Amino acid sequence: MIPGAEELDPVRLLERLIAVDSVNPGLAASGAGEAAVADLCTNWLTAHGFDVHRLERNPGRPSLVAVAHGTGGGRSLMLNGHLDTVGLGDYEGDPLSPRIEDGKIFGRGAFDMKGGIAAMMIAAARATARGPLRGDVLLACVADEEHASAGTEEVLESFTADAAIVTEPSHLQVTLAHKGFAWFDVIVRGRAAHGSRPDLGIDAIAKAGHFLVAVEELGRRLAEAAPHPLLGSGTVHASVIHGGEEPSTYPARCRITIERRTVPGEDADTVQAELTAVLDQLAVTVPDFSYRLRRGLHREPFEADPDQPVVRTLLRHARSVLGHPPVVRAEPYWTDCALLHRAGIPCLLFGVDGGGAHAAVEWADIASVHRLTDILTGTIRDFCS
């Protein structure tokens, strides 16, 4: 039996999702985590006939995989979205009290990305309620995307699919590529000494200044390189610097954290080689320049094949619902698409319209939530039939 229209209204479900605190504790120590919102999703999905698996390697940080099993012989499709949000502290008004006004729904996570979660849950329920599909439909409602993406990594250890759609907000535009990133710490070594003894001390902060100038020059070279057709060029910047103990002492070390945004063809290894070349040149040309390079978190860039069946299927249904071909574009930020792609799952990103991601006021366009739901419903039935 097909559930009633009111029960399968994505905006009503979105209101319920916004009202649950799911701040990522990796971003804010007081963050509630994903447990409560995962409970809400579990109860809803179980009531609508899904087989729900709860993955919780990190206590209090669950991810869900809800499966509507097919009859066999069809392609499987995973819809992926993250349950966590950024913090509530700087939000204007009550971030957990959803408010509808002028065709928009306001609240923390409305845009990034509980709007996508609501749309994919309703779409999967609608698609499977209309009659059996041959392929499995999987909903991956994951933890921790806003910090380290531990949720999608855990999901991919146990589940796979023939294709995937990540419902991150994209303004109803089809995202087929995004940049990656690599974080490195550069520790510039000096020698501690009393401030009155320049003959004994080596100023690590002053030496680090040479590296900062070199980083700026590296950024200029990257900007002048041949750009990626969708993403442009890679970028680099110094994001954090620590050094020194007190005014009267030569600093023995200065640590600079570098973020390098990467495009397809670049990865942590190429960035490490790039930074090493810069630092080795400074060691040759700057007296007493000594360093250590330490690799941190890094994530690959992503680029989809536009001829993949999942891309062609979604483009067809988006054109039908929107009344025009959707814009195809790339994002400068990183998403879980890269993890799915690395796992051999063809994927793309497509989500709601709105604004205020990580900002003091956040909102999703209500009409876009409905359109996204309709597009996903048609894509699921077409791809998995």
Side-chain angles (χ1 to χ4, degrees), residues 295-319:
R295 184 186 296 199
L297 182 66
H298 53 92
R299 298 296 191 191
E300 303 91 340
F302 159 71
E303 185 171 24
D305 179 354
D307 292 325
Q308 281 289 341
V310 67
V311 177
R312 296 200 308 268
T313 303
L314 186 136
L315 284 171
R316 184 167 60 252
H317 287 277
R319 186 182 306 113

PDB file of all heavy atoms in Angstrom, residues 295-319:
ATOM      1  N   ARG A 295      53.170  15.168   6.771  1.00  0.00           N
ATOM      2  CA  ARG A 295      51.901  15.052   6.042  1.00  0.00           C
ATOM      3  C   ARG A 295      50.744  14.872   7.013  1.00  0.00           C
ATOM      4  O   ARG A 295      50.830  14.120   7.976  1.00  0.00           O
ATOM      5  CB  ARG A 295      51.950  13.855   5.082  1.00  0.00           C
ATOM      6  CG  ARG A 295      50.717  13.715   4.219  1.00  0.00           C
ATOM      7  CD  ARG A 295      50.721  12.433   3.363  1.00  0.00           C
ATOM      8  NE  ARG A 295      51.795  12.406   2.397  1.00  0.00           N
ATOM      9  CZ  ARG A 295      51.786  11.609   1.326  1.00  0.00           C
ATOM     10  NH1 ARG A 295      50.763  10.792   1.110  1.00  0.00           N
ATOM     11  NH2 ARG A 295      52.802  11.610   0.486  1.00  0.00           N
ATOM     12  N   GLY A 296      49.631  15.576   6.755  1.00  0.00           N
ATOM     13  CA  GLY A 296      48.417  15.447   7.558  1.00  0.00           C
ATOM     14  C   GLY A 296      47.289  14.830   6.755  1.00  0.00           C
ATOM     15  O   GLY A 296      47.509  14.027   5.839  1.00  0.00           O
ATOM     16  N   LEU A 297      46.068  15.226   7.067  1.00  0.00           N
ATOM     17  CA  LEU A 297      44.895  14.690   6.385  1.00  0.00           C
ATOM     18  C   LEU A 297      44.909  15.100   4.919  1.00  0.00           C
ATOM     19  O   LEU A 297      45.263  16.227   4.577  1.00  0.00           O
ATOM     20  CB  LEU A 297      43.622  15.229   7.060  1.00  0.00           C
ATOM     21  CG  LEU A 297      42.284  14.737   6.495  1.00  0.00           C
ATOM     22  CD1 LEU A 297      42.104  13.245   6.730  1.00  0.00           C
ATOM     23  CD2 LEU A 297      41.133  15.523   7.116  1.00  0.00           C
ATOM     24  N   HIS A 298      44.517  14.161   4.064  1.00  0.00           N
ATOM     25  CA  HIS A 298      44.442  14.484   2.642  1.00  0.00           C
ATOM     26  C   HIS A 298      43.299  13.688   2.023  1.00  0.00           C
ATOM     27  O   HIS A 298      43.002  12.569   2.423  1.00  0.00           O
ATOM     28  CB  HIS A 298      45.766  14.166   1.926  1.00  0.00           C
ATOM     29  CG  HIS A 298      46.262  12.766   2.144  1.00  0.00           C
ATOM     30  ND1 HIS A 298      45.967  11.711   1.298  1.00  0.00           N
ATOM     31  CD2 HIS A 298      47.022  12.245   3.132  1.00  0.00           C
ATOM     32  CE1 HIS A 298      46.538  10.609   1.754  1.00  0.00           C
ATOM     33  NE2 HIS A 298      47.183  10.896   2.867  1.00  0.00           N
ATOM     34  N   ARG A 299      42.631  14.307   1.054  1.00  0.00           N
ATOM     35  CA  ARG A 299      41.511  13.695   0.349  1.00  0.00           C
ATOM     36  C   ARG A 299      41.664  13.964  -1.144  1.00  0.00           C
ATOM     37  O   ARG A 299      42.030  15.066  -1.556  1.00  0.00           O
ATOM     38  CB  ARG A 299      40.171  14.268   0.823  1.00  0.00           C
ATOM     39  CG  ARG A 299      39.872  14.030   2.290  1.00  0.00           C
ATOM     40  CD  ARG A 299      39.721  12.574   2.607  1.00  0.00           C
ATOM     41  NE  ARG A 299      39.182  12.360   3.950  1.00  0.00           N
ATOM     42  CZ  ARG A 299      39.155  11.177   4.556  1.00  0.00           C
ATOM     43  NH1 ARG A 299      39.666  10.116   3.966  1.00  0.00           N
ATOM     44  NH2 ARG A 299      38.640  11.048   5.760  1.00  0.00           N
ATOM     45  N   GLU A 300      41.312  12.957  -1.948  1.00  0.00           N
ATOM     46  CA  GLU A 300      41.496  13.067  -3.378  1.00  0.00           C
ATOM     47  C   GLU A 300      40.467  13.995  -4.017  1.00  0.00           C
ATOM     48  O   GLU A 300      39.348  14.118  -3.520  1.00  0.00           O
ATOM     49  CB  GLU A 300      41.366  11.679  -4.040  1.00  0.00           C
ATOM     50  CG  GLU A 300      42.309  10.624  -3.531  1.00  0.00           C
ATOM     51  CD  GLU A 300      41.726   9.812  -2.382  1.00  0.00           C
ATOM     52  OE1 GLU A 300      40.760  10.298  -1.739  1.00  0.00           O
ATOM     53  OE2 GLU A 300      42.236   8.714  -2.133  1.00  0.00           O
ATOM     54  N   PRO A 301      40.818  14.617  -5.147  1.00  0.00           N
ATOM     55  CA  PRO A 301      39.797  15.294  -5.946  1.00  0.00           C
ATOM     56  C   PRO A 301      38.892  14.261  -6.613  1.00  0.00           C
ATOM     57  O   PRO A 301      39.182  13.062  -6.607  1.00  0.00           O
ATOM     58  CB  PRO A 301      40.617  16.073  -6.981  1.00  0.00           C
ATOM     59  CG  PRO A 301      41.912  15.323  -7.082  1.00  0.00           C
ATOM     60  CD  PRO A 301      42.155  14.715  -5.729  1.00  0.00           C
ATOM     61  N   PHE A 302      37.802  14.744  -7.172  1.00  0.00           N
ATOM     62  CA  PHE A 302      36.796  13.858  -7.778  1.00  0.00           C
ATOM     63  C   PHE A 302      36.417  14.380  -9.156  1.00  0.00           C
ATOM     64  O   PHE A 302      36.275  15.589  -9.360  1.00  0.00           O
ATOM     65  CB  PHE A 302      35.553  13.812  -6.881  1.00  0.00           C
ATOM     66  CG  PHE A 302      34.300  13.384  -7.573  1.00  0.00           C
ATOM     67  CD1 PHE A 302      34.121  12.058  -7.971  1.00  0.00           C
ATOM     68  CD2 PHE A 302      33.287  14.295  -7.836  1.00  0.00           C
ATOM     69  CE1 PHE A 302      32.957  11.661  -8.620  1.00  0.00           C
ATOM     70  CE2 PHE A 302      32.122  13.905  -8.476  1.00  0.00           C
ATOM     71  CZ  PHE A 302      31.959  12.584  -8.867  1.00  0.00           C
ATOM     72  N   GLU A 303      36.260  13.432 -10.086  1.00  0.00           N
ATOM     73  CA  GLU A 303      35.767  13.775 -11.414  1.00  0.00           C
ATOM     74  C   GLU A 303      34.959  12.598 -11.944  1.00  0.00           C
ATOM     75  O   GLU A 303      35.464  11.482 -12.029  1.00  0.00           O
ATOM     76  CB  GLU A 303      36.912  14.115 -12.354  1.00  0.00           C
ATOM     77  CG  GLU A 303      36.452  14.591 -13.725  1.00  0.00           C
ATOM     78  CD  GLU A 303      37.607  15.127 -14.559  1.00  0.00           C
ATOM     79  OE1 GLU A 303      38.764  14.723 -14.301  1.00  0.00           O
ATOM     80  OE2 GLU A 303      37.356  15.933 -15.464  1.00  0.00           O
ATOM     81  N   ALA A 304      33.692  12.837 -12.279  1.00  0.00           N
ATOM     82  CA  ALA A 304      32.811  11.784 -12.769  1.00  0.00           C
ATOM     83  C   ALA A 304      32.914  11.670 -14.286  1.00  0.00           C
ATOM     84  O   ALA A 304      33.222  12.634 -14.985  1.00  0.00           O
ATOM     85  CB  ALA A 304      31.365  12.080 -12.376  1.00  0.00           C
ATOM     86  N   ASP A 305      32.626  10.474 -14.767  1.00  0.00           N
ATOM     87  CA  ASP A 305      32.492  10.250 -16.200  1.00  0.00           C
ATOM     88  C   ASP A 305      31.080  10.660 -16.611  1.00  0.00           C
ATOM     89  O   ASP A 305      30.106  10.051 -16.151  1.00  0.00           O
ATOM     90  CB  ASP A 305      32.733   8.768 -16.496  1.00  0.00           C
ATOM     91  CG  ASP A 305      32.587   8.420 -17.973  1.00  0.00           C
ATOM     92  OD1 ASP A 305      32.186   9.302 -18.762  1.00  0.00           O
ATOM     93  OD2 ASP A 305      32.865   7.268 -18.338  1.00  0.00           O
ATOM     94  N   PRO A 306      30.922  11.683 -17.452  1.00  0.00           N
ATOM     95  CA  PRO A 306      29.572  12.144 -17.806  1.00  0.00           C
ATOM     96  C   PRO A 306      28.756  11.130 -18.584  1.00  0.00           C
ATOM     97  O   PRO A 306      27.529  11.286 -18.716  1.00  0.00           O
ATOM     98  CB  PRO A 306      29.832  13.406 -18.638  1.00  0.00           C
ATOM     99  CG  PRO A 306      31.225  13.255 -19.135  1.00  0.00           C
ATOM    100  CD  PRO A 306      31.972  12.489 -18.081  1.00  0.00           C
ATOM    101  N   ASP A 307      29.407  10.089 -19.096  1.00  0.00           N
ATOM    102  CA  ASP A 307      28.686   9.062 -19.846  1.00  0.00           C
ATOM    103  C   ASP A 307      28.221   7.896 -18.991  1.00  0.00           C
ATOM    104  O   ASP A 307      27.617   6.951 -19.506  1.00  0.00           O
ATOM    105  CB  ASP A 307      29.562   8.538 -20.994  1.00  0.00           C
ATOM    106  CG  ASP A 307      29.785   9.588 -22.074  1.00  0.00           C
ATOM    107  OD1 ASP A 307      28.849  10.363 -22.322  1.00  0.00           O
ATOM    108  OD2 ASP A 307      30.894   9.634 -22.638  1.00  0.00           O
ATOM    109  N   GLN A 308      28.493   7.938 -17.676  1.00  0.00           N
ATOM    110  CA  GLN A 308      28.024   6.863 -16.809  1.00  0.00           C
ATOM    111  C   GLN A 308      26.490   6.810 -16.809  1.00  0.00           C
ATOM    112  O   GLN A 308      25.835   7.857 -16.830  1.00  0.00           O
ATOM    113  CB  GLN A 308      28.532   7.073 -15.385  1.00  0.00           C
ATOM    114  CG  GLN A 308      29.974   6.662 -15.156  1.00  0.00           C
ATOM    115  CD  GLN A 308      30.166   5.154 -15.178  1.00  0.00           C
ATOM    116  OE1 GLN A 308      29.226   4.379 -15.012  1.00  0.00           O
ATOM    117  NE2 GLN A 308      31.403   4.735 -15.386  1.00  0.00           N
ATOM    118  N   PRO A 309      25.907   5.615 -16.752  1.00  0.00           N
ATOM    119  CA  PRO A 309      24.440   5.507 -16.764  1.00  0.00           C
ATOM    120  C   PRO A 309      23.754   6.321 -15.673  1.00  0.00           C
ATOM    121  O   PRO A 309      22.700   6.909 -15.914  1.00  0.00           O
ATOM    122  CB  PRO A 309      24.198   4.004 -16.585  1.00  0.00           C
ATOM    123  CG  PRO A 309      25.411   3.358 -17.172  1.00  0.00           C
ATOM    124  CD  PRO A 309      26.552   4.285 -16.842  1.00  0.00           C
ATOM    125  N   VAL A 310      24.340   6.385 -14.475  1.00  0.00           N
ATOM    126  CA  VAL A 310      23.673   7.129 -13.400  1.00  0.00           C
ATOM    127  C   VAL A 310      23.632   8.623 -13.725  1.00  0.00           C
ATOM    128  O   VAL A 310      22.651   9.316 -13.417  1.00  0.00           O
ATOM    129  CB  VAL A 310      24.358   6.877 -12.040  1.00  0.00           C
ATOM    130  CG1 VAL A 310      25.774   7.448 -11.981  1.00  0.00           C
ATOM    131  CG2 VAL A 310      23.513   7.425 -10.903  1.00  0.00           C
ATOM    132  N   VAL A 311      24.680   9.139 -14.369  1.00  0.00           N
ATOM    133  CA  VAL A 311      24.691  10.552 -14.751  1.00  0.00           C
ATOM    134  C   VAL A 311      23.642  10.812 -15.826  1.00  0.00           C
ATOM    135  O   VAL A 311      22.852  11.759 -15.730  1.00  0.00           O
ATOM    136  CB  VAL A 311      26.094  10.966 -15.245  1.00  0.00           C
ATOM    137  CG1 VAL A 311      26.086  12.421 -15.712  1.00  0.00           C
ATOM    138  CG2 VAL A 311      27.133  10.772 -14.140  1.00  0.00           C
ATOM    139  N   ARG A 312      23.613   9.966 -16.852  1.00  0.00           N
ATOM    140  CA  ARG A 312      22.649  10.164 -17.936  1.00  0.00           C
ATOM    141  C   ARG A 312      21.212  10.036 -17.428  1.00  0.00           C
ATOM    142  O   ARG A 312      20.319  10.798 -17.839  1.00  0.00           O
ATOM    143  CB  ARG A 312      22.901   9.152 -19.052  1.00  0.00           C
ATOM    144  CG  ARG A 312      24.253   9.312 -19.741  1.00  0.00           C
ATOM    145  CD  ARG A 312      24.260   8.648 -21.108  1.00  0.00           C
ATOM    146  NE  ARG A 312      23.798   7.264 -21.041  1.00  0.00           N
ATOM    147  CZ  ARG A 312      24.591   6.209 -20.868  1.00  0.00           C
ATOM    148  NH1 ARG A 312      25.900   6.400 -20.708  1.00  0.00           N
ATOM    149  NH2 ARG A 312      24.101   4.990 -20.831  1.00  0.00           N
ATOM    150  N   THR A 313      20.990   9.093 -16.503  1.00  0.00           N
ATOM    151  CA  THR A 313      19.634   8.890 -15.981  1.00  0.00           C
ATOM    152  C   THR A 313      19.170  10.095 -15.182  1.00  0.00           C
ATOM    153  O   THR A 313      18.055  10.592 -15.351  1.00  0.00           O
ATOM    154  CB  THR A 313      19.583   7.621 -15.109  1.00  0.00           C
ATOM    155  OG1 THR A 313      20.018   6.502 -15.885  1.00  0.00           O
ATOM    156  CG2 THR A 313      18.174   7.357 -14.607  1.00  0.00           C
ATOM    157  N   LEU A 314      20.026  10.583 -14.282  1.00  0.00           N
ATOM    158  CA  LEU A 314      19.620  11.745 -13.485  1.00  0.00           C
ATOM    159  C   LEU A 314      19.438  12.986 -14.357  1.00  0.00           C
ATOM    160  O   LEU A 314      18.494  13.757 -14.159  1.00  0.00           O
ATOM    161  CB  LEU A 314      20.631  12.018 -12.375  1.00  0.00           C
ATOM    162  CG  LEU A 314      20.176  13.136 -11.427  1.00  0.00           C
ATOM    163  CD1 LEU A 314      20.411  12.761  -9.976  1.00  0.00           C
ATOM    164  CD2 LEU A 314      20.895  14.458 -11.727  1.00  0.00           C
ATOM    165  N   LEU A 315      20.316  13.190 -15.333  1.00  0.00           N
ATOM    166  CA  LEU A 315      20.169  14.345 -16.221  1.00  0.00           C
ATOM    167  C   LEU A 315      18.827  14.303 -16.955  1.00  0.00           C
ATOM    168  O   LEU A 315      18.166  15.333 -17.113  1.00  0.00           O
ATOM    169  CB  LEU A 315      21.316  14.369 -17.228  1.00  0.00           C
ATOM    170  CG  LEU A 315      22.675  14.842 -16.714  1.00  0.00           C
ATOM    171  CD1 LEU A 315      23.754  14.603 -17.764  1.00  0.00           C
ATOM    172  CD2 LEU A 315      22.636  16.312 -16.337  1.00  0.00           C
ATOM    173  N   ARG A 316      18.422  13.121 -17.373  1.00  0.00           N
ATOM    174  CA  ARG A 316      17.145  12.988 -18.081  1.00  0.00           C
ATOM    175  C   ARG A 316      15.969  13.364 -17.184  1.00  0.00           C
ATOM    176  O   ARG A 316      15.071  14.110 -17.582  1.00  0.00           O
ATOM    177  CB  ARG A 316      17.010  11.560 -18.599  1.00  0.00           C
ATOM    178  CG  ARG A 316      15.770  11.313 -19.441  1.00  0.00           C
ATOM    179  CD  ARG A 316      15.844  10.002 -20.189  1.00  0.00           C
ATOM    180  NE  ARG A 316      15.964   8.849 -19.312  1.00  0.00           N
ATOM    181  CZ  ARG A 316      17.071   8.116 -19.163  1.00  0.00           C
ATOM    182  NH1 ARG A 316      18.179   8.451 -19.822  1.00  0.00           N
ATOM    183  NH2 ARG A 316      17.090   7.080 -18.361  1.00  0.00           N
ATOM    184  N   HIS A 317      15.973  12.878 -15.954  1.00  0.00           N
ATOM    185  CA  HIS A 317      14.864  13.178 -15.040  1.00  0.00           C
ATOM    186  C   HIS A 317      14.922  14.622 -14.548  1.00  0.00           C
ATOM    187  O   HIS A 317      13.866  15.240 -14.333  1.00  0.00           O
ATOM    188  CB  HIS A 317      14.859  12.184 -13.885  1.00  0.00           C
ATOM    189  CG  HIS A 317      14.384  10.828 -14.294  1.00  0.00           C
ATOM    190  ND1 HIS A 317      13.059  10.492 -14.383  1.00  0.00           N
ATOM    191  CD2 HIS A 317      15.080   9.719 -14.699  1.00  0.00           C
ATOM    192  CE1 HIS A 317      12.940   9.233 -14.791  1.00  0.00           C
ATOM    193  NE2 HIS A 317      14.151   8.748 -14.989  1.00  0.00           N
ATOM    194  N   ALA A 318      16.116  15.179 -14.380  1.00  0.00           N
ATOM    195  CA  ALA A 318      16.228  16.588 -13.998  1.00  0.00           C
ATOM    196  C   ALA A 318      15.665  17.478 -15.104  1.00  0.00           C
ATOM    197  O   ALA A 318      14.941  18.452 -14.835  1.00  0.00           O
ATOM    198  CB  ALA A 318      17.684  16.938 -13.712  1.00  0.00           C
ATOM    199  N   ARG A 319      15.984  17.150 -16.341  1.00  0.00           N
ATOM    200  CA  ARG A 319      15.453  17.931 -17.459  1.00  0.00           C
ATOM    201  C   ARG A 319      13.929  17.870 -17.488  1.00  0.00           C
ATOM    202  O   ARG A 319      13.254  18.881 -17.727  1.00  0.00           O
ATOM    203  CB  ARG A 319      16.027  17.404 -18.771  1.00  0.00           C
ATOM    204  CG  ARG A 319      15.655  18.230 -20.004  1.00  0.00           C
ATOM    205  CD  ARG A 319      16.215  17.621 -21.276  1.00  0.00           C
ATOM    206  NE  ARG A 319      17.657  17.406 -21.184  1.00  0.00           N
ATOM    207  CZ  ARG A 319      18.238  16.207 -21.155  1.00  0.00           C
ATOM    208  NH1 ARG A 319      17.503  15.109 -21.184  1.00  0.00           N
ATOM    209  NH2 ARG A 319      19.542  16.103 -21.083  1.00  0.00           N
TER     210      ARG A 319
END
